[in-house]
Amino acid sequence: MKIKRSMLIVALIALFIGCYAMMNKHYDELARYPHTLNEQQRELVLHHLNTDEINTLISWKIEPKEFLPYIEVDGFVLENTLWYDEMANTTKEKVSKEFIVAFINKYKEKMNFNELQYLLANYSYNELIRFFDEGDLYQKSARLIPNPSDIYTMIANRRTLYTYEPKDLVSIGSLPHSSIVPKAYDILVKKEVLEPLQQLCKAAEVIDDQPCGGMRVVAGYLSYEDQVMLYEQALEEYDAEELSKYWDAPGHSEYQLGYSLILLPNEIQPKVNHKEQERTEAKEELGREQEAWLKENAYKYGFIIRYPLGQEDITGKEHQPFALRYVGKELAKTIYEQDIALEKADLG
């Protein structure tokens, strides 16, 4: 009796093992995948992905079009699939799938997925690779500002523009100007800034019936290279802490955005027999008039005083009455009426 029972148990175990082996042989790992794959695509998936990766594919519900173009590329990582796809759909430069996979695999940890499309739209691959490899020369652990073309962009601590250059810069043309950049005979601003600047200069003639109210533009867009030159020259006269109250390190200056500019009073030419004291007094009086006019009227043309009096603790800069920033008429009016700095404005 015991022998028969033992034989029955052995037979049941054998049957179970046989059934399990048969079921396992016909088990479809992709049965739970929510998207349709043809036979060739199924073979690719089963050949290149292990069980854990297939489970990830299923749980993340990754679409075939998002991962299949890269599955045969050397170095393909399933978890980076959405990054590959985002990069392929965003990039304007012609690059290979191999480049996409290698770029994302190497630099993914230096970026935020939600910022990826903006970084690719505003910086070239050469810029990104150089920055990720070398870092910011003036601020340790700095990260790139993803969308510097935004009109409200501010450059907070540990953020940098690196060598970013706006795509729609235009010359200020015949407006009175003399650049602070040596041997630079033109000044550029973002295209949308030009007409409001022309209108402001025309309206400013009311001050003393001179072009632009007796003021000239001395700075608009400043390239990274120009900033390096100006910054290094300034460090020869001022220590870094003192300089930071008025100027920023290369890559950290709003003048690189193309929305900022500096207007300064022209030199007042002395009349015949004019004493130097009279000349100085006249210059100072006109300067006060120009400063007051800008404070009360710049907002009408979409500009704000970027570093206003009494807001030094907020802006981190000393009062600079001739430093303007274009933000559009609506926000400029709000900032003027509330008497606040850009940092305190509701940017929506």
Side-chain angles (χ1 to χ4, degrees):
M1 189 69 176
K2 290 182 178 180
I3 295 176
K4 289 183 177 181
R5 182 179 298 172
S6 297
M7 291 178 63
L8 178 61
I9 292 174
V10 170
L12 289 174
I13 292 175
L15 180 62
F16 173 79
I17 292 174
C19 290
Y20 180 80
M22 187 63 68
M23 290 174 61
N24 191 55
K25 181 178 180 180
H26 294 284
Y27 172 68
D28 184 1
E29 290 187 282
L30 291 169
R32 295 180 295 115
Y33 183 57
H35 302 289
T36 302
L37 295 171
N38 60 38
E39 193 60 35
Q40 183 180 9
Q41 291 170 334
R42 286 173 58 84
E43 290 179 5
L44 276 175
V45 172
L46 294 173
H47 177 72
H48 290 281
L49 302 185
N50 59 38
T51 299
D52 289 339
E53 290 173 324
I54 290 176
N55 287 334
T56 298
L57 182 70
I58 293 170
S59 62
W60 288 11
K61 299 179 181 179
I62 303 174
E63 296 185 33
K65 66 180 181 180
E66 294 173 332
F67 76 94
L68 284 177
Y70 311 98
I71 196 169
E72 295 184 281
V73 175
D74 186 36
F76 169 76
V77 178
L78 181 67
E79 287 78 3
N80 293 346
T81 291
L82 296 182
W83 290 74
Y84 302 149
D85 188 59
E86 182 75 1
M87 180 171 167
N89 292 331
T90 302
T91 183
K92 295 180 180 178
E93 298 182 57
K94 187 176 182 180
V95 294
S96 67
K97 295 172 184 176
E98 288 75 15
F99 178 85
I100 291 175
V101 169
F103 180 86
I104 293 298
N105 289 356
K106 184 174 182 179
Y107 299 115
K108 175 185 173 184
E109 299 306 318
K110 296 180 180 292
M111 299 180 285
N112 181 299
F113 181 76
N114 294 328
E115 297 176 348
L116 181 59
Q117 62 175 309
Y118 297 111
L119 289 172
L120 296 176
N122 289 290
Y123 302 90
S124 69
Y125 285 115
N126 286 336
E127 286 177 309
L128 292 173
I129 291 172
R130 192 164 66 249
F131 177 77
F132 291 149
D133 286 344
E134 300 174 1
D136 187 283
L137 298 178
Y138 296 91
Q139 176 66 67
K140 291 183 179 180
S141 303
R143 294 179 69 89
L144 285 172
I145 291 176
N147 192 17
S149 59
D150 190 310
I151 191 173
Y152 302 139
T153 294
M154 286 182 284
I155 308 173
N157 191 31
R158 298 195 180 282
R159 283 287 193 173
T160 179
L161 296 164
Y162 195 46
T163 56
Y164 162 77
E165 179 179 336
K167 295 180 174 62
D168 53 351
L169 294 170
V170 297
S171 168
I172 65 170
S174 60
L175 292 178
H177 64 275
S178 58
S179 178
I180 60 175
V181 178
K183 298 182 180 180
Y185 302 104
D186 199 4
I187 291 178
L188 307 177
V189 294
K190 291 272 282 188
K191 185 177 181 180
E192 62 194 286
V193 177
L194 180 57
E195 186 174 347
L197 178 58
Q198 292 171 332
Q199 294 172 348
L200 180 146
C201 274
K202 180 64 178 177
E205 292 179 6
V206 70
I207 300 173
D208 65 347
D209 202 28
Q210 293 186 57
C212 211
M215 296 177 285
R216 67 192 190 284
V217 183
V218 299
Y221 163 74
L222 293 177
S223 71
Y224 182 85
E225 292 74 20
D226 286 341
Q227 290 176 64
V228 170
M229 176 185 59
L230 294 171
Y231 188 74
E232 297 298 335
Q233 287 178 349
L235 284 178
E236 295 177 2
E237 297 185 45
Y238 308 96
D239 62 59
E241 183 177 353
E242 181 65 21
L243 182 58
S244 68
K245 297 177 182 179
Y246 297 92
W247 205 251
D248 293 293
H252 299 263
S253 171
E254 290 189 9
Y255 292 99
Q256 194 173 337
L257 297 171
Y259 291 113
S260 298
L261 56 95
I262 300 175
L263 283 171
L264 283 185
N266 293 328
E267 291 292 326
I268 294 180
Q269 299 301 320
K271 296 179 181 179
V272 178
N273 297 325
H274 233 205
K275 295 180 181 179
E276 184 62 29
Q277 180 64 30
E278 293 176 337
R279 177 176 179 269
T280 300
E281 290 176 354
K283 178 181 177 182
E284 291 177 349
E285 176 60 28
L286 179 58
R288 286 191 290 270
E289 291 180 15
Q290 293 163 332
E291 178 181 333
W293 188 89
L294 286 174
K295 181 180 179 181
E296 294 301 319
N297 294 278
Y299 78 91
K300 299 175 182 177
Y301 308 94
F303 295 93
I304 60 171
I305 307 301
R306 182 62 184 93
Y307 307 112
L309 184 65
Q311 305 285 335
E312 292 84 355
D313 290 342
I314 297 171
T315 64
K317 294 287 187 290
E318 292 297 315
H319 175 44
Q320 298 177 41
F322 295 98
L324 305 183
R325 168 71 186 265
Y326 183 76
V327 294
K329 289 184 179 180
E330 184 176 349
L331 182 60
K333 185 173 185 290
T334 298
I335 288 175
Y336 169 79
E337 291 175 344
Q338 296 181 3
D339 192 22
I340 57 176
L342 179 59
E343 284 80 357
K344 288 294 184 179
D346 181 6
L347 302 180

